[in-house]
Amino acid sequence: MTALAPIRHRLAQFAREIGLSADTTGDMLLATYEALANVAEHAYPPGVQGTFDLRADSRPDEGVLTISIVDRGSWKLEADNSRARRGRGVRLMHACSDSARVETGDEGTRIHLQWNYRASLPEPEQQVKP
């Protein structure tokens, strides 16, 4: 999971570039990290390296940020869910985003996360450029 740190840093930088609030940035980073952790844990069998694509799109005119994560594995959730602290990742993604969708199929899994951030942006005349 150490490979995810550079992705987190780049997403934080992207959030600053598009002017996300600190709260929305925190939610975005947490939900995205959870989605990536689920890919790492569930998409590919133990010992098998897999790949994923991550795309972050901002539509500032609409105030919408969308993050899509696509893997090519097949999510195999553990049959033993007796560990009480397991199974909350998708709920966390929903709680930290305005919209979260997980679509599974034979070709892999797609996770779509979305935030509506227009309301958190200052009015154009109030925005300060560095």
Side-chain angles (χ1 to χ4, degrees):
M1 297 261 235
T2 58
L4 299 181
I7 295 169
R8 182 180 172 87
H9 292 298
R10 179 60 187 112
L11 284 172
Q13 178 184 2
F14 180 69
R16 285 189 298 276
E17 290 169 5
I18 65 171
L20 284 187
S21 70
D23 287 343
T24 303
T25 297
D27 286 347
M28 179 269 293
L29 292 173
L30 182 57
T32 303
Y33 183 86
E34 183 59 38
L36 293 172
N38 280 339
V39 168
E41 186 173 352
H42 299 298
Y44 302 99
V48 173
Q49 290 188 355
T51 61
F52 65 88
D53 296 318
L54 184 145
R55 180 180 175 107
D57 288 310
S58 172
R59 295 190 314 262
D61 54 322
E62 298 174 32
V64 175
L65 168 65
T66 303
I67 298 200
S68 300
I69 300 159
V70 179
D71 68 52
R72 288 155 228 22
S74 60
W75 281 27
K76 302 288 187 206
L77 298 176
E78 294 179 29
D80 178 14
N81 282 334
S82 62
R83 290 182 267 174
R85 301 180 69 90
R86 309 276 308 154
R88 295 192 175 114
V90 174
R91 281 186 277 174
L92 180 66
M93 286 184 263
H94 280 280
C96 291
S97 65
D98 293 317
S99 173
R101 254 182 14 254
V102 179
E103 303 165 350
T104 59
D106 294 338
E107 307 267 323
T109 300
R110 296 175 181 275
I111 302 169
H112 303 281
L113 304 168
Q114 189 170 23
W115 292 265
N116 302 312
Y117 64 90
R118 178 183 287 287
S120 67
L121 292 176
E123 293 299 318
E125 60 272 3
Q126 295 175 338
Q127 292 181 1
V128 178
K129 295 199 179 204

